[in-house]
């Protein structure tokens, strides 16, 4: 069974234009087309689109995602390259998560700061508290 681009867009919650862009950029060389030129997506194509979205969400450049697609098409000969790429992505995402955690702590602090200021009706409540220390 095959899916149309509209069905894929709905299933993956992606705009059709994004899927067309991926195809234009060479990220989807495996997509079959009917004689009319209409794209026909398989279940495995949906899985690959999910991986492409995952990689894009980590900040991976399109050119590197394209290289990954090429490696996938080349098969077992590129298993090491794909493994190494995912290890690198893992390191990058871990660093991003650490940065986001620091940002979250700052945001949580500021939420408490402004909540207390709102309750007091003034931001000077914090200056008063600091002066008492």
């Amino acid at each position: 069974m095959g899916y149309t681009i509209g069905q894929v867009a709905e299933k993956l919650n992606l705009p059709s234009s994004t899927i067309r862009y991926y195809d234009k950029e060479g990220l989807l060389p495996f997509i079959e087309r009917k004689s009319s030129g209409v794209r026909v997506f398989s279940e495995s194509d949906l899985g690959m689109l999910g991986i492409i979205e995952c990689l894009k969400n980590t900040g991976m450049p399109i050119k590197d995602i394209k290289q990954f697609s090429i490696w996938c098409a080349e098969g077992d000969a590129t298993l090491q390259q794909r493994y190494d790429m995912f290890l690198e992505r893992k390191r990058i995402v871990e660093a991003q998560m650490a940065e986001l955690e620091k940002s979250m702590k700052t945001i949580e602090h500021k939420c408490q700061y402004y909540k207390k200021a709102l309750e007091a009706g003034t931001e000077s409540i914090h200056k008063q508290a600091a002066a008492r220390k």
Side-chain angles (χ1 to χ4, degrees), residues 53-112:
E53 271 297 288
C54 170
L55 294 172
K56 186 182 77 100
N57 290 337
T58 69
M60 182 180 245
I62 292 293
K63 70 176 181 58
D64 294 342
I65 298 172
K66 182 177 180 177
Q67 181 60 63
F68 171 71
S69 289
I70 291 167
W71 286 337
C72 288
E74 291 175 358
D76 290 348
T78 62
L79 286 172
Q80 186 66 53
Q81 290 95 324
R82 289 182 272 160
Y83 176 70
D84 292 344
M85 183 209 73
F86 273 100
L87 285 177
E88 179 62 19
R89 275 291 106 193
K90 183 177 183 284
R91 284 189 285 275
I92 289 167
V93 170
E94 287 170 343
Q96 290 170 337
M97 289 171 64
E99 283 300 312
L100 284 172
E101 187 63 37
K102 285 181 5 186
S103 295
M104 181 57 87
K105 286 180 181 175
T106 299
I107 289 168
E108 288 171 345
H109 169 75
K110 284 301 187 182
C111 285
Q112 291 172 353

Side-chain angles (χ1 to χ4, degrees), residues 22-49:
Y22 290 164
D23 192 23
K24 182 176 118 325
E25 291 297 314
L27 304 184
L28 309 173
F30 45 84
I31 300 298
E32 292 186 28
R33 290 181 183 259
K34 291 182 180 179
S35 58
S36 63
V38 174
R39 296 169 187 90
V40 180
F41 295 82
S42 68
E43 285 292 332
S44 66
D45 297 339
L46 297 181
M48 184 62 170
L49 275 164

